[in-house]
Amino acid sequence: MRNVVVVGSQWGDEGKGKIVDWLSSEADIVVRFQGGHNAGHTLVIDKKVFKLRLLPSGIVRKGKISILGNGVVIDPWALLDEIEEIKKQGINVTPENFMISETASLILPFHQEMDEIREDAAGKEKIGTTRRGIGPCYEDKVGRRSIRVMDLRSESNLDVRLENVLLHHNAIRKGLKKKVYKKNDLKKKLMKIAPEILKFAKPVWLKLDDFKKERKKILFEGAQGILLDVDHGTYPYVTSSNTVPAMAATGSGSGPDKIGYILGITKAYTTRVGSGPFPTELKNKIGENLGKRGKEFGTVTARKRRCGWFDGVLVRQTIKISGINGIALTKLDVLDELDEIKMCIEYELNGKKINYLPAASEDQFNIKPIYKSFPGWKTKTKGIRNIADLPENAKKYIYSLEDFIGAKISSISTSPEREDTILVEDPFKI
């Protein structure tokens, strides 16, 4: 029996929500370990659509415990709103099925404002953030001045912590000629919601240790994708946290020895939302068609995603960086109508061929993809649940992709529906 970590192997939006929900039917515990409410998951269960932003995907299933780990940054008001929204869909969120790490940092109103100020001032150099305050909150965490969940337990402690963080932020706001925040006003707002947040607060690391002793199956749920990792992604066009699977241990308080199978969710083509380099982007009718058929709009922001051919070089690189054991290939059916399908197998930079993504942002913008072409299958794959029933050309594409990236395709998704999945190997039973 293994615990499983699920991460995106591209720039996010690979269809993790469906796969996590599919796996959570076997898991006992589902843990979010990084990111915030900038990362959305769309789940389709019995034709009912759930759009989650901060809550782990396991929350929609009875008998599962969902956890936000210490590596997650939490907007407490957004969290309470999301809990109310999902309650209206018939999902009950209680301290018995949901818990928050008491050491998780809180996103406060000035974090979101700072995010907006920076993006608006960046002009052409915009990172493309979701303007949710994620980055500024992580900065305060690293700067040892963030307000954490546990700080809500003591009004006197909260008073001291707020004074510390506002000393930093109000100095910047004055320099930018923005209105400064009053400590007592913010403290009053936080104390008002404190009881609703604190009822979920637990020493998550200790609870996870208990669950492991009880041999519970734990599913660690990543947000975004590895190419948005603050160390290993297309820096500076990245998120503010580590999105690699190793963060599952750090962001939950669970030892790395407790991580078993690492599953990389991988789209059969490539998408990216926001700014940044995208070697295989298609700014033509094919790209538009992929976007329409794949319904490529962000769950959280509704922003249109940029679309392009599958970049085998990038996925092979993220597999090596993260130690991915198997790939869940999603949205294969989006390619059904294409006459020809391409896969990037190499880059050209300044007249030379290279087989990896260079670290310098300037080089990332200037590389040119070198493609291998495959004939399309021109027939419907949507809803197929057995690999033998796939068209021959679809199988050739899948096996070539598997061979190039160097990781086994463990499952293939042929529609947003949970049941429309071809299972090659079960991560929990290997």
Side-chain angles (χ1 to χ4, degrees), residues 111-404:
H111 290 133
Q112 184 171 338
E113 289 182 24
M114 183 55 63
D115 215 351
E116 293 172 346
I117 290 167
R118 287 176 180 170
E119 277 291 277
D120 290 340
K124 292 181 180 180
E125 299 302 314
K126 286 182 181 180
I127 300 298
T129 78
T130 56
R131 298 170 179 254
R132 295 295 196 271
I134 311 298
C137 183
Y138 274 118
E139 288 178 38
D140 280 349
K141 178 179 179 177
V142 175
R144 295 165 297 204
R145 55 181 174 263
S146 69
I147 307 299
R148 303 198 289 178
V149 171
M150 67 175 71
D151 293 325
L152 301 179
R153 289 187 178 132
S154 165
E155 188 171 348
S156 60
N157 180 60
L158 181 61
D159 198 74
V160 173
R161 300 299 302 152
L162 280 172
E163 193 168 316
N164 183 46
V165 73
L166 287 177
L167 180 67
H168 172 81
H169 279 274
N170 279 339
I172 296 172
R173 295 179 71 84
K174 284 179 183 177
L176 294 171
K177 298 182 179 180
K178 301 291 181 181
K179 185 179 178 181
V180 299
Y181 269 82
K182 294 181 179 179
K183 180 187 68 176
N184 288 336
D185 290 346
L186 190 51
K187 184 174 73 172
K188 187 177 179 180
K189 291 178 182 177
L190 284 168
M191 292 308 297
K192 183 178 180 180
I193 62 168
E196 288 300 306
I197 296 297
L198 289 173
K199 71 182 182 183
F200 300 114
K202 299 283 192 312
V204 161
W205 66 271
L206 187 57
K207 291 291 182 182
L208 286 173
D209 189 59
D210 290 338
F211 293 142
K212 286 178 281 188
K213 288 175 182 175
E214 296 166 9
R215 295 188 60 78
K216 300 288 188 182
K217 286 185 278 189
I218 304 171
L219 181 62
F220 295 94
E221 176 185 5
Q224 290 103 15
I226 293 168
L227 289 169
L228 291 175
D229 184 277
V230 70
D231 286 302
H232 301 289
T234 48
Y235 191 91
Y237 302 93
V238 293
T239 193
S240 304
S241 61
N242 287 111
T243 59
V244 291
M247 186 63 187
T250 306
S252 66
S254 181
D257 61 316
K258 300 302 186 292
I259 295 173
Y261 191 96
I262 300 171
L263 181 66
I265 316 303
T266 307
K267 203 174 282 185
Y269 48 103
T270 310
T271 63
R272 176 165 199 167
V273 68
S275 306
F278 186 170
T280 64
E281 183 174 9
L282 294 169
K283 298 179 180 180
N284 55 23
K285 288 185 178 179
I286 295 175
E288 289 177 14
N289 183 51
L290 289 173
K292 288 177 182 177
R293 285 183 54 81
K295 298 179 181 178
E296 297 297 351
F297 295 92
T299 300
V300 172
T301 61
R303 288 187 294 178
K304 186 178 179 181
R305 296 176 188 139
R306 300 152 64 190
C307 298
W309 294 122
F310 182 82
D311 194 328
V313 179
L314 281 183
V315 174
R316 182 177 61 187
Q317 185 165 324
T318 61
I319 287 169
K320 292 178 184 296
I321 287 167
S322 61
I324 287 171
N325 300 111
I327 290 292
L329 191 66
T330 64
K331 294 200 171 185
L332 181 70
D333 55 299
V334 175
L335 305 179
D336 285 353
E337 296 181 356
L338 295 173
D339 295 311
E340 181 185 41
I341 297 164
K342 294 183 180 182
M343 180 197 304
C344 177
I345 58 168
E346 207 169 15
Y347 297 137
E348 182 183 313
L349 177 64
N350 300 325
K352 295 181 179 180
K353 290 183 179 180
I354 56 173
N355 60 2
Y356 64 95
L357 183 73
S361 181
E362 182 181 15
D363 290 341
Q364 291 173 1
F365 277 109
N366 290 329
I367 56 176
K368 297 178 181 178
I370 298 171
Y371 291 114
K372 179 178 180 180
S373 295
F374 299 85
W377 41 91
K378 301 289 288 182
T379 187
K380 181 180 175 183
T381 62
K382 185 174 182 178
I384 290 178
R385 301 178 186 179
N386 190 316
I387 196 164
D389 296 331
L390 288 173
E392 285 304 311
N393 283 348
K395 285 189 276 189
K396 288 177 182 178
Y397 177 68
I398 292 166
Y399 295 140
S400 294
L401 184 153
E402 180 181 59
D403 182 63
F404 184 82

